[in-house]
Amino acid sequence: MLLRRITKHVKEQNWLAVGIDFFIVVVGVFIGIQVANWNDERGERALEVIYVERLHQEVMSLESVRTRMVKDRDELLEDLGEILPKVFDENNGALTDFECATLFGIFPTSNPSDDLPLITELLSSGRITIFSDDGLKQALSDFLTIRARARDSRAGVESLMPQVSLFHNHLYEVQSLGSTLAADHYRSESGEISEEEAFERSGLDIFCDIAAMRASTPFKNDLAQMRDLYSYHVDDNRRLTEALAALHRALDEIIDDDHEENAA
């Protein structure tokens, strides 16, 4: 109908009417595009709310999983800080059974869990920009940057970490394997009991030739290097834990604001 009307006005050379007809067409198209954009934007924001809630749950779950794993690594670094002075100087005393077992059991370490499935999904699909809050975008960017650094650092630590008990196994002797180490180890990871208590319950008996350790320059060099590399690993994970906590706070602020708006 509109096309016939425009054609009629052109034939009649009624240019004012033609102009009005074209104006109506342009305005109609503009309004249609705006409505479509508005619907798309509304859909994006509704999806963003779902993603924020899901990411919030994943962050809380990851923090829960990481807590004990990070704590174990912090405690191991503290243990090494007590072990090294005893190895390097006989005046600092002998190794305890637990410290001997700690030395025997240290191997190249893996990072505590750091995956957020939603972020992996959004990065793969190219939809990571769906988040509109500037605070959340900054916290997420910081987390991803620090996580990448921690992963690269772990790979370096793993390649350089000297396997002390493997390279210097003549300095150790396993005198009893025990029987409950695995079960109590899992209990210690969950926080029910300490690593030292798990060791005491295990029945594991390892002899460390402390005199030979003190006399071995290669052993002491490897032990010192292991402690330094492990400290880098612990520091990287401390920064990642802080970045995850900052991401959690950014999500809390958005969710609290949304809840206040809905209540109002």
Side-chain angles (χ1 to χ4, degrees):
M1 176 181 287
L2 181 59
L3 180 60
R4 288 200 302 270
R5 190 170 65 184
I6 293 175
T7 302
K8 177 175 178 294
H9 291 156
V10 170
K11 288 179 179 180
E12 295 174 352
Q13 296 188 352
N14 186 348
W15 305 120
L16 176 61
V18 171
I20 293 173
D21 291 338
F22 273 109
F23 176 77
I24 292 172
V25 171
V26 170
V27 170
V29 171
F30 175 77
I31 292 175
I33 292 173
Q34 288 300 105
V35 169
N37 289 341
W38 179 75
N39 285 334
D40 289 343
E41 179 66 18
R42 186 173 62 174
E44 286 287 291
R45 297 289 67 84
L47 188 58
E48 181 185 7
V49 170
I50 295 173
Y51 283 161
V52 166
E53 292 281 356
R54 179 178 162 189
L55 182 59
H56 187 253
Q57 292 298 320
E58 289 184 2
V59 166
M60 289 194 298
S61 176
L62 182 57
E63 285 181 319
S64 177
V65 170
R66 283 179 57 87
T67 296
R68 183 62 198 180
M69 300 174 74
V70 171
K71 186 173 184 293
D72 283 345
R73 286 156 175 76
D74 290 342
E75 290 174 351
L76 178 54
L77 186 60
E78 292 176 5
D79 291 338
L80 288 173
E82 296 177 2
I83 290 170
L84 262 70
K86 295 181 178 181
V87 173
F88 279 76
D89 187 348
E90 62 182 12
N91 294 321
N92 290 319
L95 295 176
T96 66
D97 291 341
F98 176 69
E99 289 170 341
C100 176
T102 297
L103 276 181
F104 178 77
I106 295 177
F107 288 93
T109 186
S110 61
N111 269 348
S113 300
D114 61 10
D115 282 326
L116 292 168
L118 175 61
I119 299 306
T120 302
E121 175 185 322
L122 293 178
L123 287 171
S124 298
S125 64
R127 303 209 65 189
I128 194 68
T129 57
I130 192 171
F131 298 114
S132 59
D133 182 84
D134 289 337
L136 175 57
K137 288 191 288 188
Q138 185 61 56
L140 184 55
S141 175
D142 291 344
F143 171 79
L144 291 174
T145 300
I146 293 172
R147 186 179 72 173
R149 157 65 185 169
R151 288 179 174 181
D152 287 345
S153 176
R154 185 208 63 79
V157 167
E158 185 177 46
S159 66
L160 295 173
M161 179 80 81
Q163 299 183 39
V164 174
S165 61
L166 180 61
F167 297 157
H168 306 279
N169 56 21
H170 61 285
L171 300 176
Y172 304 87
E173 181 182 343
V174 179
Q175 297 180 333
S176 174
L177 289 175
S179 58
T180 61
L181 179 60
D184 279 334
H185 174 70
Y186 288 119
R187 292 184 63 199
S188 70
E189 284 192 336
S190 68
E192 293 180 50
I193 59 177
S194 68
E195 285 283 353
E196 191 163 0
E197 187 176 357
F199 166 73
E200 291 174 355
R201 295 185 182 188
S202 71
L204 181 65
D205 186 10
I206 299 175
F207 168 74
C208 287
D209 190 343
I210 186 63
M213 289 178 176
R214 289 169 178 158
S216 174
T217 298
F219 173 79
K220 290 189 291 185
N221 288 345
D222 282 349
L223 188 60
Q225 183 184 23
M226 179 179 66
R227 191 274 309 273
D228 289 345
L229 289 170
Y230 204 84
S231 69
Y232 299 147
H233 171 73
V234 169
D235 285 344
D236 284 335
N237 276 286
R238 174 184 53 78
R239 285 188 284 270
L240 185 58
T241 296
E242 292 170 354
L244 187 61
L247 179 57
H248 192 169
R249 289 192 297 271
L251 289 163
D252 281 343
E253 291 179 6
I254 296 173
I255 291 173
D256 288 344
D257 288 344
D258 288 345
H259 289 171
E260 289 175 4
E261 291 178 5
N262 291 335

